[in-house]
Amino acid sequence: MIRVAIVDDEPLVRTGLATILGSAPDVSVVSGCGGGDAVEAVRRHAPEVLLLDVRMPDVDGLTVLRRLAGLRARPRWPC
């Protein structure tokens, strides 16, 4: 099972992606959140894949990536 976290500022986008991805038998969407909650979601759920919106008003995706770089348990990159 592939664990996926979705980070986007639009709840409708998160829900849509979770619905599409969750329909695959080997994918589990473990988290959906905005940029401000992304680091904690990665810590808590340890996803293997992170779908990250780069342009978000609260905390942009590049800032999230910089914060994730310091975590011991983070999604693998580069992909």
Side-chain angles (χ1 to χ4, degrees), residues 1-4 21-29 48:
M1 187 68 70
I2 300 168
R3 293 181 316 277
V4 177
L21 293 170
S23 68
D26 57 346
V27 174
S28 174
V29 177
E48 296 161 322

Side-chain angles (χ1 to χ4, degrees), residues 6 10-21 32:
I6 301 167
E10 294 292 333
L12 187 58
V13 171
R14 292 193 308 255
T15 301
L17 287 170
T19 300
I20 293 166
L21 293 170

Side-chain angles (χ1 to χ4, degrees), residues 9 12 15 17 19 22 30-31 36 41 50-52 55-56 59-60 63 67 72 75-76 78-79:
D9 59 312
L12 187 58
T15 301
L17 287 170
T19 300
V30 295
S31 179
L50 180 64
L51 294 179
L52 179 61
R55 293 184 183 184
M56 295 182 284
V59 178
D60 67 88
T63 300
R67 291 176 182 173
R72 185 174 290 217
R76 290 180 286 165
C79 297

Side-chain angles (χ1 to χ4, degrees), residues 5 31 37-47 50 68 71 73-75:
S31 179
D37 299 322
V39 173
E40 182 57 33
V42 169
R43 279 188 190 133
R44 185 176 316 139
H45 300 288
L50 180 64
L68 288 175
L71 292 182
R74 64 178 189 250

